[in-house]
Each structure stands twice: as structure tokens, then as C-alpha cells.
Amino acid sequence: MSFQLNLFGTTALADTQNDLFWGELEGEDGTSPVPPATPAAMVLPKIDFHMVADRGLADTWKQRARDNALAIALLKEIEEADRNASSPEQIVLSRFIGFGAGELANNLFPSGSDSPRPGWEEIGEAIHASTTDVE
């Protein structure tokens, strides 16, 4: 059983003529009579990306392949969430260089083989996990 204590019964705040309402008590089962407000989803504004410094490309082909894999996974995450990329995410995406470079493509996607060369397996698996067979 719930009780409401009248703290203002003998003061000007009592408002006995208009029955001033001071709020609901919790229900018998302990739940709030008014559902809590749900927070609004954060919406990132569309921001054109402008490089203000060096792109920060990695020195080695293997690290550039890792950066490509990170950018692919991030883009998939952004598209699935149907949101815009934040400024730090735009920097990650700007490091995607594609796979047309000879050494990068030949190490990661050797001709006649379905698997990357030894030492490149982790990167190949990361790309495979973030893409469909068609992609």
C-alpha cells in the first residue's frame, strides 16, 4: 500500500480549492506510472571531409592492406547503422587506397589461388569477413 504525505496542508502551497497535483506515486508493483523518456538517437551531421594534413598512409604494403581492411569494415558498420561518418572515421576512410598496386594485389590476391600468401592471411580474413562474395 502506498501513502502520500501532505507536507503543505497548512501552508499557501496547499491549494485546497484547485487540488494542486504534485505527481504520481510509484505503482503497487514498484513501477513508475509514467514511462521514462527514451533518449533520442544521436545524429551526426553531414560534414564534407577536407584533409588538413598528410593523409597518413602507411609505409608498407601490408600496413596499407590493413588500413584498407579497417576502412572496409568501418564503411560496412556506418552503412548498417545508416548514419554519417564522424570526423575521426572520415580519416580512417581516407586511407583506403584500393588494391590496384601490384605488390599489394599480388600478395593479398595471388593469381590462381583462393587464399592470400603466407603472412597475409589475417588481412585476407578481415576483408572476407567485411564483404560479400560479390564484393
Side-chain angles (χ1 to χ4, degrees):
M1 176 179 253
S2 299
F3 296 98
Q4 188 167 8
L5 180 61
N6 185 348
L7 299 175
F8 307 107
T10 60
T11 70
L13 295 175
D15 193 20
T16 55
Q17 294 176 351
N18 296 321
D19 293 327
L20 185 62
F21 178 71
W22 292 96
E24 296 277 344
L25 293 175
E26 287 186 355
E28 291 288 325
D29 60 355
T31 60
S32 174
V34 179
T38 55
M42 187 175 89
V43 177
L44 294 172
K46 289 183 181 179
I47 301 171
D48 288 339
F49 178 70
H50 298 283
M51 269 192 273
V52 294
D54 185 334
R55 200 165 148 193
L57 295 179
D59 293 330
T60 67
W61 288 118
K62 190 177 276 188
Q63 186 55 48
R64 286 184 183 196
R66 283 188 187 102
D67 289 345
N68 278 352
L70 285 173
I72 291 169
L74 176 59
L75 182 60
K76 181 179 181 179
E77 176 187 323
I78 291 168
E79 287 178 341
E80 287 176 354
D82 192 28
R83 64 178 179 82
N84 297 319
S86 66
S87 293
E89 289 171 331
Q90 289 177 337
I91 293 169
V92 172
L93 295 172
S94 76
R95 292 190 183 120
F96 180 83
I97 61 166
F99 296 100
E103 189 172 344
L104 179 58
N106 291 335
N107 281 311
L108 195 52
F109 308 111
S111 61
S113 174
D114 290 337
S115 59
R117 292 199 177 165
W120 292 74
E121 298 92 355
E122 176 189 339
I123 300 166
E125 290 171 12
I127 292 170
H128 186 265
S130 298
T131 58
T132 64
D133 289 340
V134 173
E135 292 169 336

